[in-house]
Amino acid sequence: MNLDTINNVYFIGIGGIGMSALARYFHANNKFVSGYDKNKSEITDGLIELGVPVHFDDSIANIDSRLLNTNNTLVVYTPAVPKDHMELAYFNNNHYTVMKRAAVLGLITENTNCLAVAGTHGKTTTTSILGHLLNVCNVPVTAFLGGISENYQSNLIINGTDVTVVEADEFDRSFLTLSPNIACITSMDADHLDIYGDASELEKSFIDFANKIKKNGKLFVRNGLPIKGITYGIEDDSDYTVKNIKIKNGTYVFDVRTPETTIENFKFNLPGRHNLSNALIALAMAVEFGCPHQQLAKALASYIGVKRRFSYHIKTDDVVYIDDYAHHPEEIKAVHQAVREMYPESRVLAVFQPHLFSRTRDFIDEFAKSLSSFDEVILLDIYPARELPIPGVTSQLLLDKIENNHKQLVEKSDLISKIKESQAKIVLTIGAGDIGEEVKHIKKALLRAS
């Protein structure tokens, strides 16, 4: 399919983080972009401000008349859209070109120099660091991000079209539409077992992804993963490794040993060894791409972060409030490690909203173990997203397995009052559901209380 012949692009699920980045891309390339989403959000508000029409009722009557020409209209949908969606059925039944988001991303990137970030954790942060590094090094890059970059206040970095930086998403095997020049795999922990069935199938899909890399391309893998590639790691014998780590005023200062040399005195502002690992692989890919070392050091020092990835909302002597997207036991462990490294003497309250009934069922013991590490735990009910309830799988079941004397299950309406009752200096909200909508209310209440 030739995207140059397309005048109109319509998105079903335009408010999704990956979908909205594509919408912004096509809008920037002078296509008529419009779409539907189930819910109003900051993302849809931002698109409407750009001049992208968005509606919230699933109705054919809302489809703009400009989309009636089937030859020059592309319809993009997300796998989260239900099969009985009326608009999607209309476009399918009337012979429009209808494609999944991942397939469209594959089309956009196939004729570019594509750098892809894969892995069950760390994709969004790594992609946003890599996009920022290349942009500051004046590479003509378009970076599609799975989160809102704090540096750009957007999920799209656009400074040209020769190079693309993308998240290679393993959900629904979406990343198999990509053929990158340079790629990395950050992690292969079991996840999305509602799609894959078991961890071995997930591992196979990562091997399939590795085989999609273009001839003479390069694959980076975190040291210890069961796939061959250029290795990276922290204070180990990897091809690319972080050395001489210090923490100065909450900032990491470190050196990077490459296969050819040692680059000294990098500064990086995000806490946590998992984030340091993300910074390292972004640097390694940028070095292999050909970015100058001095510019890379300056670029990394200016990187701020991604919204909902260890985002500080309050940082005073009395209270620290951090929000994070962590929704897998390994991610929760990483957040805990980061908090303990930065605030070793402080009491920590974790507020967690489980995401998906299937994920809660599949990893309930691991979730319980990772949450037990905090000083206090507040659980919210499971956020269902695309799923129907599974009998017996509840937040109460998870709560019962958490080994902690200071734990409780709370209704969302009572959340702020329960947080205010806590004596913890550090308050964390974690989860991938709609807990993010509560952040501004929690911040306001904590500021007032302090």
Side-chain angles (χ1 to χ4, degrees), residues 1 3 9 11 19 22 25-26 74-77 97-110 144 177-178:
M1 183 189 178
L3 291 174
V9 189
F11 289 85
M19 292 282 276
L22 274 182
Y25 169 80
F26 282 116
L74 169 64
V75 178
V76 187
Y77 73 100
T97 301
V98 180
M99 300 177 75
K100 280 186 182 178
R101 180 189 71 87
V104 176
L105 200 56
L107 271 180
I108 291 169
T109 60
E110 68 182 2
F144 297 93
T177 62
L178 300 170

Side-chain angles (χ1 to χ4, degrees), residues 7-279:
N7 296 337
N8 313 302
V9 189
Y10 186 77
F11 289 85
I12 302 176
I14 197 167
I17 195 74
M19 292 282 276
S20 59
L22 274 182
R24 285 176 176 272
Y25 169 80
F26 282 116
H27 178 78
N29 282 279
N30 301 312
K31 310 291 186 188
F32 173 66
V33 177
S34 56
Y36 156 88
D37 204 87
K38 187 169 66 171
N39 299 311
K40 204 171 184 295
S41 65
E42 285 183 17
I43 289 174
T44 57
D45 288 346
L47 289 169
I48 291 165
E49 279 175 29
L50 265 184
V52 174
V54 180
H55 62 265
F56 304 95
D57 297 315
D58 176 17
S59 170
I60 295 151
N62 288 321
I63 296 169
D64 193 283
S65 60
R66 279 174 277 193
L67 307 184
L68 296 178
N69 184 339
T70 60
N71 295 322
N72 65 7
T73 298
L74 169 64
V75 178
V76 187
Y77 73 100
T78 165
V81 172
K83 290 182 172 59
D84 60 354
H85 195 276
M86 286 187 288
E87 292 182 15
L88 183 58
Y90 168 81
F91 288 118
N92 279 321
N93 293 338
N94 286 279
H95 310 295
Y96 281 79
T97 301
V98 180
M99 300 177 75
K100 280 186 182 178
R101 180 189 71 87
V104 176
L105 200 56
L107 271 180
I108 291 169
T109 60
E110 68 182 2
N111 295 316
T112 69
N113 194 332
C114 177
L115 284 70
V117 177
T120 43
H121 322 298
K123 286 189 295 292
T124 298
T125 301
T126 304
T127 306
S128 72
I129 298 170
L130 181 56
H132 178 66
L133 295 179
L134 296 182
N135 186 50
V136 173
C137 292
N138 297 313
V139 174
V141 64
T142 299
F144 297 93
L145 312 180
I148 304 297
S149 162
E150 299 278 15
N151 287 83
Y152 303 92
Q153 292 302 308
S154 178
N155 51 354
L156 181 73
I157 302 170
I158 189 158
N159 184 32
T161 55
D162 295 355
V163 179
T164 47
V165 173
V166 296
E167 288 191 30
D169 190 1
E170 74 282 357
F171 174 75
D172 204 28
R173 297 178 172 85
S174 293
F175 57 3
L176 300 184
T177 62
L178 300 170
S179 298
N181 300 78
I182 303 175
C184 74
I185 299 174
T186 64
S187 47
M188 288 166 48
D189 294 307
D191 199 1
H192 308 300
L193 299 185
D194 54 326
I195 302 290
Y196 286 98
D198 63 56
S200 65
E201 286 300 313
L202 178 69
E203 189 171 308
K204 274 185 208 165
S205 76
F206 276 103
I207 293 165
D208 291 341
F209 170 72
N211 290 330
K212 297 283 288 183
I213 292 169
K214 286 174 186 163
K215 193 177 177 185
N216 301 321
K218 292 174 180 174
L219 175 67
F220 291 83
V221 295
R222 187 168 56 80
N223 200 357
L225 293 180
I227 292 182
K228 284 188 177 171
I230 304 166
T231 57
Y232 73 96
I234 294 178
E235 295 182 320
D236 61 10
D237 59 352
S238 300
D239 299 314
Y240 280 81
T241 186
V242 169
K243 295 287 186 187
N244 305 322
I245 302 167
K246 304 176 195 72
I247 297 175
K248 295 182 180 175
N249 300 321
T251 295
Y252 283 119
V253 181
F254 59 95
D255 304 333
V256 173
R257 194 189 70 211
T258 78
E260 278 80 39
T261 187
T262 296
I263 315 168
E264 296 182 341
N265 214 29
F266 281 104
K267 293 186 174 70
F268 184 59
N269 294 308
L270 265 61
R273 294 294 174 110
H274 63 301
N275 281 323
L276 194 55
S277 179
N278 295 335

Side-chain angles (χ1 to χ4, degrees), residues 298-315:
K298 180 183 169 187
L300 189 68
S302 69
Y303 176 78
I304 305 170
V306 179
K307 282 186 181 173
R308 300 218 65 225
R309 303 313 195 274
F310 214 91
S311 298
Y312 281 98
H313 289 273
I314 304 174
K315 198 175 185 181

Side-chain angles (χ1 to χ4, degrees), residues 313-314 321-323 351 380 412 415-417 419-420 427-429 435-449:
H313 289 273
I314 304 174
Y321 173 35
I322 299 162
D323 178 50
V351 180
L380 296 174
K412 206 184 286 179
L415 178 58
I416 287 173
S417 63
I419 290 172
K420 285 165 73 176
V427 177
L428 284 173
T429 44
I435 192 170
E437 301 297 316
E438 303 301 313
V439 169
K440 54 183 176 286
H441 306 302
I442 295 168
K443 179 180 178 178
K444 190 176 177 182
L446 287 173
L447 284 172
R448 194 181 294 141

